[in-house]
Amino acid sequence: MKKKRIWLVFIFLLLIPYLCSLTIIGIGYNALVLHSANLWRTLVGSLVGAIIMMAIKATIQRPLDLLAINVEQELFEQFLRFFSIRRRPILQWLNFTLDFFLCGIATILVRHFLSLNAIVGRSTGLVLLGMFISTCIGAYVEYDNLSIDPMQH
């Protein structure tokens, strides 16, 4: 896989959907929880969000592994492999902790930048649309290399 394609797949298939997932967690939390600005409730929302992010990451393991195999830069390969949930327990806990903090930040940023009407309105749909378009672009760029059963030529 060419370096340019690896970066495109990383951005469109992994990074943008990851950020959209964090945003959806922040939107959903702020839409469902009364007094969401309370620190204790934000911590509970971060914990639930981190658990959801681990479940989401389970679905991207194959593309993540395929990208990491094709990367020539050691630092970028380790960065990709950090998001794998099939790693050593210490790395899984670091990954979970990172998601915990990022989910907390997402709930705070959503609460800060969006009004309650926007949060309970169409913001989730717009973020899901962005995630869908991004995933489609990423899959289109490298469908043959990322498919489960590549076509034999």
Side-chain angles (χ1 to χ4, degrees):
M1 208 183 304
K2 294 180 183 175
K3 187 176 179 179
K4 181 180 175 184
R5 283 190 162 195
I6 290 172
W7 278 101
L8 285 174
V9 171
F10 170 71
I11 290 169
F12 286 109
L13 199 58
L14 300 171
L15 184 63
I16 292 173
Y18 182 77
L19 295 175
C20 288
S21 296
L22 287 171
T23 305
I24 290 170
I25 288 169
I27 290 169
Y29 174 76
N30 284 296
L32 295 173
V33 177
L34 187 61
H35 305 294
S36 60
N38 179 297
L39 178 62
W40 171 248
R41 291 180 181 180
T42 299
L43 292 174
V44 170
S46 297
L47 178 64
V48 172
I51 293 168
I52 291 169
M53 290 302 288
M54 290 298 277
I56 290 171
K57 287 178 182 178
T59 64
I60 64 163
Q61 291 309 292
R62 178 161 169 78
L64 197 61
D65 291 341
L66 289 172
L67 280 177
I69 288 170
N70 290 303
V71 172
E72 295 174 6
Q73 297 171 322
E74 181 70 24
L75 182 62
F76 187 46
E77 178 185 356
Q78 290 307 313
F79 177 73
L80 286 173
R81 292 198 184 275
F82 176 76
F83 289 97
S84 176
I85 60 172
R86 291 188 258 176
R87 299 290 302 257
R88 294 179 300 211
I90 186 72
L91 293 175
Q92 288 176 345
W93 277 106
L94 288 172
N95 198 333
F96 184 82
T97 304
L98 175 67
D99 285 339
F100 176 83
F101 285 112
L102 290 176
C103 287
I105 291 169
T107 62
I108 293 167
L109 290 176
V110 165
R111 185 169 51 243
H112 181 71
F113 286 108
L114 296 178
S115 67
L116 185 58
N117 286 337
I119 290 171
V120 297
R122 53 178 110 157
S123 59
T124 301
L126 293 173
V127 175
L128 283 173
L129 178 64
M131 182 186 292
F132 177 74
I133 291 170
S134 174
T135 304
C136 287
I137 292 170
Y140 175 76
V141 169
E142 276 302 316
Y143 176 79
D144 290 337
N145 289 332
L146 297 175
S147 64
I148 292 172
D149 187 27
M151 296 174 54
Q152 301 293 326
H153 289 125

